[in-house]
Amino acid sequence: MAAYKRVLLKLSGEALMGDDAYGINRTVIESMVRDIAEVVRSGVEMAIVIGGGNIFRGVAGGAAGMDRATADYMGMLATLMNGLALQDAMKHAGLVARVQSALRVDQVAEPYIRPKALRYLEEGKVVIFAAGTGNPFFTTDTAAALRGSEIGAEIVLKATKVDGIYTADPKKDPSSTMYAKISFDEAIARNLQVMDATAFALCRDQRLPIKVFSIFKQGALMRVVRGEDEGTLVHL
């Protein structure tokens, strides 16, 4: 039985690339959707905030020297592209998903409306929040903390390429060890790069825990929602 009734899954755009330089790897996204479907069909209500780094990376060279606000809006559009791709993959897997965008793009996605998002979750639909917070200078990590708080999620699941938070970069320092648990204050003080300080602070203030785990580890998502020993818990 799941330990959580409602969760917010934060997916980075880079996680959708697989081993590609940029863009969306269909095999990777289908694998992720299978794991998500297993969790949703177990009765867990799931919303997703998705990043756009994989799409934006393809135009990063042309963005050099660009105004920060303009670049951030381009990044928001990249998250919308990822959200639509994820919605399509879910449709093929038999899941019903709705994309809600913080930017108005009515031809392709609904605007973010909190009561509608809550109703969709109660109906067993997956809600994909795109375009971050709709504001430049705020990351999709902060959007995950914000949307998670707004929908009453019990935990933010930060899906990464590594299986938790380490004392140092495990690729550079093989002797580094993984934290089983770490407090918000310690994560901020140590300047851990898993999520930005604004997202950590918002989750701390809203008493919303974060679990950091690898989305590429088979069965990890289900183990996390069951409350099993998987990844790193960031807590008060």
Side-chain angles (χ1 to χ4, degrees):
M1 179 175 291
Y4 305 103
K5 173 64 176 173
R6 180 176 294 170
V7 301
L8 188 292
L9 176 64
K10 170 56 173 65
L11 275 176
S12 69
E14 287 80 359
L16 303 182
M17 297 189 307
D19 295 326
D20 299 340
Y22 57 84
I24 297 169
N25 185 302
R26 191 69 188 182
T27 301
V28 169
I29 198 171
E30 288 174 353
S31 176
M32 289 181 185
V33 167
R34 282 194 295 270
D35 287 345
I36 291 168
E38 181 184 14
V39 170
V40 172
R41 287 168 182 151
S42 74
V44 176
E45 296 174 1
M46 181 180 292
I48 299 173
V49 168
I50 192 161
N54 59 315
I55 301 295
F56 191 72
R57 184 175 296 190
V59 296
M66 185 179 292
D67 176 79
R68 168 65 188 274
T70 300
D72 281 358
Y73 280 118
M74 291 173 65
M76 291 178 216
L77 295 175
T79 73
L80 180 61
M81 294 169 69
N82 281 339
L84 294 172
L86 190 59
Q87 181 188 44
D88 181 76
M90 288 183 177
K91 177 182 177 181
H92 284 89
L95 288 180
V96 179
R98 295 288 184 268
V99 178
Q100 290 197 339
S101 172
L103 296 177
R104 292 300 297 262
V105 281
D106 295 347
Q107 289 88 344
V108 294
E110 300 178 12
Y112 169 65
I113 301 174
R114 179 175 174 270
K116 288 187 72 173
L118 292 172
R119 187 176 78 246
Y120 288 149
L121 291 171
E122 291 165 359
E123 292 172 349
K125 297 180 175 71
V126 179
V127 182
I128 303 168
F129 297 121
T133 66
N135 302 286
F137 308 106
F138 290 94
T139 67
T140 50
D141 283 342
T142 300
L146 176 62
R147 298 291 184 243
S149 299
E150 288 182 301
I151 67 170
E154 298 167 274
I155 192 169
V156 171
L157 308 179
K158 168 75 173 182
T160 70
K161 290 186 174 183
V162 294
D163 56 356
I165 300 176
Y166 283 77
T167 53
D169 187 341
K171 292 182 179 179
K172 298 177 181 178
D173 184 0
S175 66
S176 64
T177 57
M178 190 179 79
Y179 295 100
K181 295 181 180 180
I182 188 170
S183 70
F184 283 110
D185 289 338
E186 187 177 358
I188 294 170
R190 291 179 177 272
N191 194 31
L192 297 177
Q193 300 300 308
V194 178
M195 295 183 85
D196 63 81
T198 303
F200 273 140
L202 180 54
C203 285
R204 179 192 62 192
D205 294 346
Q206 296 303 314
R207 309 180 72 85
L208 180 61
I210 301 168
K211 176 63 76 89
V212 181
F213 72 104
S214 171
I215 192 65
F216 296 107
K217 195 173 177 182
Q218 188 174 9
L221 180 59
M222 178 59 83
R223 289 193 293 273
V224 166
V225 299
R226 285 177 175 167
E228 297 178 16
D229 184 19
E230 183 74 42
T232 301
L233 180 68
V234 186
H235 63 101
L236 288 173

